Amino acid sequence: MPQTSLPRRLLALATDNWPARTYLTVVGVSVAAMFVAPESPVAAGPLILTAPLSLLSVVLPFGPGTEGPLQALAFGSWTVWLLLCALVNAAVLGALAKRSPTTTTTAQRRTASAPPTHTRTLARLRTLLAPAVDNWPARAYLAMVAASLVFFLCADYILADPTFAALWPLMVTAPTGFLAFLLPTSSPLAFAATTALCGLANAVLLGHLAHRLRAGEAHPAT
């Protein structure tokens, strides 16, 4: 039997469960609000809701602000990119909502076999964080988070003018990375620790998506 293609598995995860569909609905509403009130703060809603992938568009030489004969093409390309980012984020939510029964059973067995001490807590923590390190998409993402944090810390402690170095960790770890704005301190180390934890949380979600896609690849389509 032929195997389900990767785009179909991704689309299925993004549409066949209520958390993912709710997310896509919210993104759709934010896009409509952007067109209704393009000058208001809500216009940034689609970009924030589809982070962190959507924030990569800031490095492109074109976008919604492009003027001239390429304006329509630039805006269309940016819109397609935004929709793809929303689809990936919805698939991440879908993968989290549809955790593999085999994985859950294995995790329960490992936890049950651990001694009733701090070892059990460590076993649960390892099981929880395993999706962040046991697949290459999550590991590649963590490498990006680490690189952005190293750049930020070097800019803050070594360079005389760090300018906007903190934007890179925020962009890479968005949207959870925005929690760093809630810190009661301006310490660079506290900011780095918070964004690192947010990046780890994002990597766990990305790992769940990778597991679900790999599980779909292992089972032939019916």
Side-chain angles (χ1 to χ4, degrees):
M1 297 291 291
Q3 295 182 348
T4 307
S5 64
L6 179 60
R8 288 186 178 181
R9 295 197 300 271
L10 192 67
L11 184 62
L13 286 173
T15 56
D16 66 356
N17 58 91
W18 70 263
R21 288 196 294 265
T22 300
Y23 167 77
L24 290 177
T25 301
V26 172
V27 172
V29 171
S30 70
V31 171
M34 179 184 67
F35 284 104
V36 172
E39 302 298 330
S40 68
V42 299
L47 194 65
I48 295 176
L49 288 172
T50 55
L53 289 176
S54 61
L55 295 180
L56 296 178
S57 62
V58 300
V59 303
L60 299 176
F62 56 83
T66 302
E67 298 180 356
L70 297 179
Q71 182 177 6
L73 178 61
F75 184 78
S77 301
W78 180 82
T79 303
V80 170
W81 172 250
L82 199 71
L83 293 176
L84 289 176
C85 294
L87 182 64
V88 172
N89 284 0
V92 169
L93 289 177
L96 187 63
K98 298 177 60 176
R99 294 186 61 182
S100 171
T102 303
T103 302
T104 303
T105 303
T106 302
Q108 291 174 346
R109 289 176 179 175
R110 290 178 180 176
T111 302
S113 62
T117 60
H118 69 281
T119 304
R120 174 172 294 183
T121 302
L122 292 177
R124 289 176 177 174
L125 184 61
R126 285 195 297 267
T127 301
L128 178 66
L129 298 181
V133 294
D134 63 2
N135 59 93
W136 70 263
R139 288 194 292 263
Y141 171 73
L142 285 179
M144 292 177 57
V145 173
S148 68
L149 288 174
V150 169
F151 174 75
F152 162 71
L153 292 174
C154 289
D156 192 85
Y157 285 103
I158 298 177
L159 300 180
D161 183 16
T163 59
F164 299 105
L167 287 178
W168 293 106
L170 285 175
M171 289 173 56
V172 174
T173 60
T176 55
F178 293 139
L179 294 175
F181 285 125
L182 303 179
L183 290 175
T185 176
S186 59
S187 169
L189 290 179
F191 173 83
T194 302
T195 51
L197 290 175
C198 293
L200 183 61
N202 287 352
V204 170
L205 296 178
L206 182 60
H208 279 297
L209 174 60
H211 287 171
R212 292 300 307 180
L213 292 177
R214 186 168 55 191
E217 184 179 27
H219 296 85
T222 57

